[in-house]
Amino acid sequence: MRNVLVLSLLVVCHLSYAQWKPAGNKIKTEWAENIDPENVLSEYPRPIMERNEWQNLNGLWSYSITPREKARPEEHQGKILVPFAVESSLSGVMKEVGAANVLWYNRNFSVPAAWNGKKVRLNFGAVDWQADIWLNDIKIATHTGGFEPFSIDITPFLKESGDQELTVRVWDPSDEGTQPRGKQVKKPEGIWYTPVTGIWQTVWLEPVAEKHVKDLRVIPDIDRNAVKFTADVANAEYGDLIEVTVSDGTTEIASVKAVANEEFEITIDNPRLWSPESPFLYRTTVKLIGGNKDVTDEFKSYFAMRKIATKRDENGVVRMQLNNKDYFHFGPLDQGWWPDGLYTAPTDEALKYDIVRTKEMGYNMIRKHVKVEPARWYTHCDELGILVWQDMPNGDRQKDWQMRNYYEGNEYRRTAKSEQIYRKEWKGIMDYLYSYPSIVVWVPFNEAWGQFKTEEITEWTKSYDPSRLVNSASGGNHFRTGDILDLHNYPQPDLFLYDANRVTVLGEYGGIGLPLKGHLWDTGNNWGYVQFKNSKEVTDEYVKYAEKLKKLIPAGFSGAVYTQTTDVEGEVNGLMTYDRKEDKMDVKRIRNVNQEVINMLK
């Protein structure tokens, strides 16, 4: 019997591999070689709020691409590996969709019998951009927004037994629309990249009770040795309680019960503070207790005791502070793109790798550039210890970019629809990421792309999350609002504008190019701000820029961002090649000088 079972599994695996293989002939990462279509990105997708039971729906789905006006197709065109975008190699498809077409997905799944009596929620990590969802031929939801997760209660639409049919239709206008899209364009070149259409993060099922916690918001307060919690509870009734138990990893150190849907606080005696040098996390167990004392929901979570603020130093320069001490933020511009998966890392190990390598190069910060990552990426940052500046993905159009002075002109006017899309998606992104301690700076706008009502958006961002800093306009257009003045200058550092009342940072510089044969996405036209011929030349130039940066820190800089973590498509200005197989500089030398830069404020 055992031999028959093994043979059956081998047949299933063979059939899966027969239906899928990476498409195209572009370079790939080493992780792409080990992908099993039956076990794709199998890790729990939301570790900051981890329940015991769940079901992964990643894997091979049927797909079709049809004109937008056409009805659901009767037959499928092939198989696609979810959650890789249809334009990516790892999807197995590598086809363009475009604004005139839509992408259809279809698959069957079954609900475990043990989930009977519970609500079943269908979760999407991210779908770019508009997703219409059917279950068993009934349209149950529409969602817009390419960067935040969404969840649907599918319980009323499930059949009593047997297979359930799930259908998803996606429309993404790419740069023909005004929605947030980051670096995607229909004709990629230079600093612009391949479109990403459809499902690009994990799809999964989770059973919950009628009463359950939808979200947990956590705000540390190290000045008072306290941490504030707010649990958003579905279907709460009078008498329902939230219980949070805090552990230092080995020992329970605090526990409190509070009324559901009310803010409450826990005191942490002699708290261990989180920093890149010591990324300590407190672990928690959260329970929802009904009026009849039954536990209706339970999950694991974590938080960190850390504080981000600004303060004027003894020389009158406004500095960023971490845990009430001046702290220089230094890290790479991280686009988060992959040659084989585009927006989606091939594996969780790959997702973590860039963060690990960034730390090994001596940085303490990452600017996540015009993209939002899966939840596991932020947990890796929390656990490994790296500060994150989180950009809002740009959308709409760039107008009248003034980067070397304070803005003088009439701000870009979005249409009412474009403005509504921005506000909805920015709030959704902030809601999604609110409790990750590694995130210390919000960046609503970058280089005037779609920048509108800057002061209003900045003040809203600051009021919605007073616990973090707001870098309202990275690279311009500059207004006297928010916590940070952010300059961009290529290739060398330059302090050409200074704000005596806010933090001043160099939000982008560098871009030193080195094309390495055998590791290029585009073998024809490769782009960088300046280019060199070998690793020593690139390292020498990098160190020269770092030495200049060190001289500008006493004059006013409190943070800096080097462009960039990896090559991306036609760009060859990465610290690593696009396939992550080669470091392009002497890591020991740049680590040493990076630490010297950071230590200028210690």
Side-chain angles (χ1 to χ4, degrees), residues 238-356:
Y238 182 75
D240 292 344
L241 300 175
I242 288 286
E243 179 183 74
V244 176
T245 303
V246 181
S247 165
D248 63 6
T250 58
T251 306
E252 181 182 317
I253 62 170
S255 184
V256 69
K257 290 181 180 178
V259 175
N261 284 334
E262 296 291 334
E263 182 181 273
F264 59 96
E265 192 171 272
I266 295 179
T267 299
I268 307 293
D269 294 330
N270 300 312
R272 293 178 61 178
L273 302 184
W274 181 97
S275 70
E277 293 75 24
S278 179
F280 180 78
L281 298 174
Y282 287 94
R283 302 293 172 172
T284 62
T285 299
V286 181
K287 296 180 181 179
L288 174 59
I289 304 170
N292 59 2
K293 310 305 180 185
D294 290 338
V295 176
T296 67
D297 194 8
E298 181 175 349
F299 57 87
K300 296 177 182 178
S301 187
Y302 65 85
F303 66 89
M305 296 299 288
R306 69 100 182 92
K307 176 185 176 182
I308 184 72
T310 65
K311 189 177 181 179
R312 197 177 298 276
D313 70 10
E314 64 274 11
N315 297 315
V317 179
V318 180
R319 300 294 188 185
M320 287 185 286
Q321 289 200 322
L322 180 65
N323 301 332
N324 295 323
K325 296 180 180 179
D326 292 353
Y327 196 87
F328 192 87
H329 296 208
F330 190 30
L333 192 75
D334 190 332
Q335 312 274 6
W337 283 71
W338 300 84
D340 34 34
L342 299 182
Y343 259 11
T344 311
T347 67
D348 190 63
E349 181 186 3
L351 185 70
K352 185 177 179 180
Y353 179 81
D354 285 1
I355 308 166
V356 170

Side-chain angles (χ1 to χ4, degrees), residues 274-443:
W274 181 97
S275 70
E277 293 75 24
S278 179
F280 180 78
L281 298 174
Y282 287 94
R283 302 293 172 172
T284 62
T285 299
V286 181
K287 296 180 181 179
L288 174 59
I289 304 170
N292 59 2
K293 310 305 180 185
D294 290 338
V295 176
T296 67
D297 194 8
E298 181 175 349
F299 57 87
K300 296 177 182 178
S301 187
Y302 65 85
F303 66 89
M305 296 299 288
R306 69 100 182 92
K307 176 185 176 182
I308 184 72
T310 65
K311 189 177 181 179
R312 197 177 298 276
D313 70 10
E314 64 274 11
N315 297 315
V317 179
V318 180
R319 300 294 188 185
M320 287 185 286
Q321 289 200 322
L322 180 65
N323 301 332
N324 295 323
K325 296 180 180 179
D326 292 353
Y327 196 87
F328 192 87
H329 296 208
F330 190 30
L333 192 75
D334 190 332
Q335 312 274 6
W337 283 71
W338 300 84
D340 34 34
L342 299 182
Y343 259 11
T344 311
T347 67
D348 190 63
E349 181 186 3
L351 185 70
K352 185 177 179 180
Y353 179 81
D354 285 1
I355 308 166
V356 170
R357 207 72 186 115
T358 297
K359 290 274 290 187
E360 290 173 346
M361 291 178 182
Y363 297 107
N364 61 16
M365 177 267 280
I366 290 171
R367 180 180 171 200
K368 179 49 63 177
H369 190 42
V370 296
K371 186 199 175 194
V372 179
E373 293 289 357
R376 293 191 63 86
W377 187 86
Y378 298 94
T379 292
H380 290 321
C381 290
D382 296 340
E383 293 178 339
L384 292 168
I386 197 90
L387 303 175
V388 176
W389 294 10
Q390 179 60 58
D391 286 11
M392 171 63 171
N394 59 281
D396 215 310
R397 299 290 180 265
Q398 186 186 70
K399 175 185 180 292
D400 193 21
W401 181 22
Q402 301 173 24
M403 64 178 295
R404 303 191 71 84
N405 55 274
Y406 283 101
Y407 185 68
E408 298 176 354
N410 297 314
E411 280 202 271
Y412 180 57
R413 291 187 179 183
R414 292 194 182 215
T415 65
K417 182 178 180 181
S418 173
E419 185 173 327
Q420 184 272 333
I421 289 171
Y422 176 96
R423 292 178 187 271
K424 170 188 173 294
E425 296 194 28
W426 186 221
K427 178 180 181 297
I429 290 166
M430 290 182 67
D431 285 339
Y432 160 43
L433 299 176
Y434 202 99
S435 293
Y436 291 94
S438 54
I439 299 174
V440 293
V441 175
W442 297 116
V443 188

Side-chain angles (χ1 to χ4, degrees), residues 63-67 73 77 86 93 95-97 101-104:
Y63 86 94
S64 295
I65 299 172
T66 67
Q77 296 170 1
V86 68
V93 180
K95 293 180 181 178
E96 295 183 4
V97 180
N101 298 318
V102 291
L103 172 62
W104 293 87

